[in-house]
Amino acid sequence: MKWLVLLRLVALSECIVIIPLTKMKIKQEPIREKQLQEKFLDEQSHSLSQNSHPDHKFSSHGLRNFQNMVYFGKISIGTPPQEFQVNFDTGSSDLWVPSVDCQSPSCSKHKRFNPQKSTTFRHLDQKIRLSYGSGSMNGVLGCDTIQIGNLVIVNQTFGLSQNQSSGILEQVPYDGLLGLAYPSLAVRGTTPVFDNLKNQRVISEPVFAFYLSSQPGNSSVVMFGGVDHTYHKGKIQWVPVTRTSFWQVAMSSISINGNVVGCSQGCQAIVDTGTSSLVGPTHLVTNILKLINPKPILDDKQVLLCDAIKSLPVLLLTINGIIYTVPPHYYVQQISQEICFSSFQGGTELLNPSETSETWILGDVFLRLYSSVYDRGNNRIGLA
């Protein structure tokens, strides 16, 4: 809802471009890794063509995997192009990057856009403030040409950060965010990147998809304009979107060892590539952590010995009648040779304090197991 892409173009045909995503493993001291993880966790029917058609505009772009916690990729802004690493985030709708006018520590450690070096840039007289679980930015709106791989959008409105909160935004390995949620979440009066891809007919299908891998190498991708079916096994299971803001669907239950531990009355689930963990109501997450980690170490209920993974239960999520399994080696992350970290986080009760309905966020812990397809033409999500 808030969060690298080594782009390498591989032309498969005149109409399809594949850009593999690379997993980036960074070695750090265990205490440092834990601090980073804790900060990351705080943020917290037209038919699709099964085979590429000669006229279809389809592009697949490589993403980098940072510690199984965040995936990011490369885009270009301006003429001539200035390159940035951005988080392709299904939990937000705005595009922004740091500006050369930003002197915050979190800006100085990242690439910054210089409007004076782009012949196609236009200033827009509007200030903005965007807040995320991972921090906030204040800035202004601008308009310029955006390029994602071989896809080019003209007159794209985007944010230029002039002041950013320090902390996590200072340490993340990407420069900005590219939101892929619905227009209702975007800054009022602006059109998100995906909508312009669609409106300017840069892509022929109003669809994008993610394959997020846990493996190193060129293995994770984001796809625009269709689906490369080599990235999933079996049939895509479609789930209707229940509210066109986040990519939000209905979920029936969450269970462990045959016992329902969440979503007992049915609930809403937000499918979010920008969140690393599985996030739910604090009281339910606390109960789950007690169940899977009855003897926490370091007085931290999320920290456990890695040897315990082999005895931990499988998590079962029921969505639209289909049971999706999440094995323990996916919901537990290794932060050192012996110490592991459970990727559950509380706090969704703060999303809509006035609502009594239960909400969960299915982040990268879930999306590393299941390829996800986002179909704006039919307001549905596909999982495979």
Side-chain angles (χ1 to χ4, degrees):
M1 191 173 292
K2 326 334 120 199
W3 312 100
L4 308 235
V5 173
L6 182 59
L7 299 182
R8 181 166 62 87
L9 300 177
V10 181
L12 298 186
S13 70
E14 293 180 358
C15 303
I16 299 179
V17 175
I18 297 291
I19 305 172
L21 311 182
T22 302
K23 178 180 179 180
M24 183 176 70
K25 179 62 178 177
I26 297 178
K27 293 183 178 180
Q28 296 172 316
E29 294 297 324
I31 214 75
R32 183 60 176 154
E33 289 187 330
K34 179 161 187 311
Q35 289 172 343
L36 271 177
Q37 285 184 321
E38 287 174 328
K39 288 179 180 178
F40 271 107
L41 292 172
D42 278 340
E43 49 142 343
Q44 271 240 317
S45 166
H46 83 212
S47 63
L48 300 179
S49 302
Q50 293 298 311
N51 297 297
S52 296
H53 187 278
D55 295 329
H56 284 182
K57 299 173 183 176
F58 171 80
S59 188
S60 180
H61 309 273
L63 301 178
R64 286 171 108 174
N65 177 347
F66 176 79
Q67 301 280 352
N68 278 346
M69 293 167 62
V70 61
Y71 296 79
F72 57 93
K74 185 168 65 177
I75 67 168
S76 298
I77 304 176
T79 308
Q82 300 175 42
E83 292 186 350
F84 298 89
Q85 299 283 359
V86 296
N87 171 253
F88 289 90
D89 177 22
T90 61
S92 67
S93 298
D94 299 295
L95 167 63
W96 66 268
V97 295
S99 163
V100 288
D101 295 327
C102 180
Q103 301 302 316
S104 301
S106 58
C107 288
S108 62
K109 294 186 177 180
H110 293 94
K111 290 185 178 179
R112 292 177 284 181
F113 181 75
N114 189 340
Q116 295 182 346
K117 291 186 177 181
S118 174
T119 59
T120 47
F121 178 80
R122 286 191 296 114
H123 281 285
L124 300 177
D125 188 22
Q126 183 177 344
K127 294 183 179 181
I128 59 170
R129 175 179 171 81
L130 300 175
S131 297
Y132 306 90
S134 53
S136 64
M137 66 80 86
N138 293 287
V140 296
L141 291 180
C143 186
D144 212 330
T145 300
I146 309 293
Q147 184 165 354
I148 309 170
N150 66 329
L151 307 178
V152 179
I153 312 167
V154 296
N155 297 319
Q156 174 64 53
T157 300
F158 67 104
L160 287 163
S161 175
Q162 295 179 323
N163 183 38
Q164 291 176 198
S165 59
S166 297
I168 191 60
L169 288 179
E170 185 177 345
Q171 300 182 48
V172 291
Y174 54 82
D175 305 307
L177 291 181
L178 193 158
L180 292 168
Y182 281 84
S184 60
L185 291 183
V187 171
R188 183 176 299 179
T190 66
T191 302
V193 167
F194 185 75
D195 290 81
N196 272 332
L197 285 173
K198 182 159 75 70
N199 298 342
Q200 296 180 22
R201 298 186 178 180
V202 179
I203 55 176
S204 55
E205 299 270 10
V207 173
F208 61 94
F210 280 87
Y211 170 79
L212 303 183
S213 175
S214 297
Q215 302 303 315
N218 301 335
S219 53
S220 297
V221 296
V222 58
M223 300 160 250
F224 291 100
V227 184
D228 183 341
H229 296 283
T230 62
Y231 284 102
H232 68 85
K233 296 185 293 184
K235 182 181 178 181
I236 295 175
Q237 303 293 335
W238 294 103
V239 188
V241 168
T242 56
R243 181 181 297 177
T244 55
S245 53
F246 297 115
W247 284 95
Q248 184 170 318
V249 299
M251 187 161 62
S252 301
S253 68
I254 301 174
S255 60
I256 292 176
N257 289 335
N259 299 313
V260 176
V261 295
C263 197
S264 59
Q265 307 287 323
C267 62
Q268 295 293 297
I270 296 169
V271 183
D272 184 5
T273 59
T275 294
S276 59
S277 53
L278 293 171
V279 188
T282 300
H283 70 287
L284 295 175
V285 169
T286 298
N287 291 339
I288 291 173
L289 291 173
K290 288 179 181 177
L291 181 65
I292 65 176
N293 189 20
K295 297 180 179 180
I297 60 177
L298 304 176
D299 294 323
D300 187 329
K301 58 183 176 294
Q302 289 183 277
V303 179
L304 66 161
L305 294 175
C306 296
D307 285 345
I309 294 178
K310 51 182 173 285
S311 62
L312 293 179
V314 173
L315 187 72
L316 304 179
L317 310 179
T318 303
I319 304 172
N320 207 27
I322 305 294
I323 296 176
Y324 296 89
T325 61
V326 183
H329 58 279
Y330 277 84
Y331 67 73
V332 173
Q333 304 296 313
Q334 187 168 346
I335 59 176
S336 72
Q337 187 171 357
E338 297 181 351
I339 304 299
C340 283
F341 191 86
S342 177
S343 295
F344 290 94
Q345 184 75 17
T348 58
E349 67 274 12
L350 302 176
L351 285 176
N352 294 294
S354 60
E355 293 189 8
T356 57
S357 58
E358 187 180 319
T359 301
W360 288 78
I361 299 173
L362 307 182
D364 298 338
V365 169
F366 178 78
L367 295 171
R368 283 196 301 277
L369 279 159
Y370 301 99
S371 293
S372 54
V373 183
Y374 304 80
D375 181 0
R376 280 284 298 277
N378 289 293
N379 292 324
R380 60 182 184 171
I381 295 176
L383 298 170

